[in-house]
């Protein structure tokens, strides 16, 4: 369970990516910066992310189209997207962002502490989800062990019911194997 949460930062301007990396500094998250929607989609093929910070206005594939692709993929549809855009108060753009699956839409200039708080929440949720997955896997493994042990005990009981000294020795052998996990 030592995997660290990652945040995908998507902006066509390198200075904006550097600013976002600086804002996230000190949080328990590894920022992964890319400069296009296409690069973001490629990155999402190989890595899992706690949150995506996505510029709405980019050349070629804009943030809305990128988000639409992200939300169509089974593997990535659950990843929260925070849209970041230049000071454009057009409510229709915000609605468009929410319509393609964004959880929030922040206009620049935004308060870096607000962004840090939002990212922190998604990182915490991702971490708790990873812990839950690990606990579920451990539970499944224990359940499988229990089923194997129960099966062995049932087999030993069947052998004992069949009777005889040889049966008792065989049953004891089965129980010893079950005890040691063989």
């Amino acid at each position: 369970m030592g995997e660290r949460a990652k945040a995908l930062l998507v902006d066509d301007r390198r200075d904006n990516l550097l600013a976002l990396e600086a804002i996230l500094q000190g949080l328990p998250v590894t920022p992964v910066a890319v400069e296009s929607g296409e690069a973001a989609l490629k990155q999402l093929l190989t890595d899992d992310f706690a949150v995506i910070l996505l510029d709405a206005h980019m050349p070629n594939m804009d943030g809305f189209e990128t988000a639409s692709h992200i939300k169509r993929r089974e593997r990535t549809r659950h990843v929260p997207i925070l849209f970041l855009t230049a000071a454009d108060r057009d409510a229709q753009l915000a609605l468009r962002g929410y319509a393609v699956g964004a959880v929030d839409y922040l206009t620049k200039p935004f308060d870096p502490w607000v962004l840090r708080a939002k990212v922190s929440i998604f990182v915490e949720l991702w971490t708790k989800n990873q812990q839950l997955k690990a606990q579920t896997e451990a539970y499944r493994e224990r359940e499988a062990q229990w089923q194997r042990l129960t099966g062995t005990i049932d087999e030993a009981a069947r052998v004992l019911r069949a009777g005889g000294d040889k049966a008792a020795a065989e049953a004891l052998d089965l129980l010893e194997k079950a005890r040691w996990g063989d």
Side-chain angles (χ1 to χ4, degrees):
M1 221 343 274
E3 190 178 1
R4 184 175 163 104
K6 295 178 187 172
L8 182 58
L9 317 178
V10 187
D11 198 306
D12 60 313
R13 295 186 51 188
R14 188 73 200 135
D15 56 333
N16 288 344
L17 291 171
L18 291 172
L20 288 173
E21 288 173 339
I23 290 169
L24 300 181
Q25 199 167 34
L27 292 179
V29 65
T30 301
V32 176
V34 296
E35 296 182 13
S36 70
E38 295 89 348
L41 295 175
K42 286 179 186 173
Q43 195 68 48
L44 286 162
L45 291 173
T46 59
D47 290 326
D48 293 322
F49 292 92
V51 63
I52 300 170
L53 305 182
L54 182 58
D55 181 25
H57 301 288
M58 295 183 291
N60 301 322
M61 183 184 299
D62 69 11
F64 302 107
E65 186 180 351
T66 303
S68 179
H69 285 291
I70 291 168
K71 293 302 180 179
R72 272 190 245 137
R73 291 180 178 170
E74 181 64 35
R75 182 171 188 245
T76 57
R77 71 174 38 136
H78 65 282
V79 181
I81 298 172
L82 298 172
F83 270 111
L84 307 175
T85 189
D88 187 340
R89 302 290 180 202
D90 184 353
Q92 291 299 338
L93 286 178
L95 289 174
R96 186 175 171 205
Y98 292 124
V100 294
V103 296
D104 209 347
Y105 190 95
L106 302 175
T107 56
K108 300 171 190 172
F110 51 81
D111 184 338
W113 293 104
V114 170
L115 181 61
R116 283 176 63 86
K118 290 174 184 285
V119 168
S120 292
I121 288 168
F122 290 115
V123 166
E124 184 177 333
L125 287 171
W126 182 88
T127 301
K128 296 225 182 278
N129 193 32
Q130 295 304 109
Q131 290 169 346
L132 185 59
K133 285 179 184 177
Q135 289 172 352
T136 301
E137 185 57 36
Y139 171 79
R140 286 187 180 135
E141 181 57 35
R142 282 193 307 274
E143 182 64 23
Q145 289 172 343
W146 176 254
Q147 292 297 325
R148 287 191 298 272
L149 180 60
T150 303
T152 302
I153 291 170
D154 290 345
E155 178 65 14
R158 186 196 61 73
V159 169
L160 283 172
R161 280 190 210 99
D165 290 339
K166 184 175 181 192
E170 187 180 339
L172 283 172
D173 185 51
L174 282 169
L175 290 171
E176 283 296 319
K177 285 180 179 177
R179 180 179 194 181
W180 301 110
D182 293 338

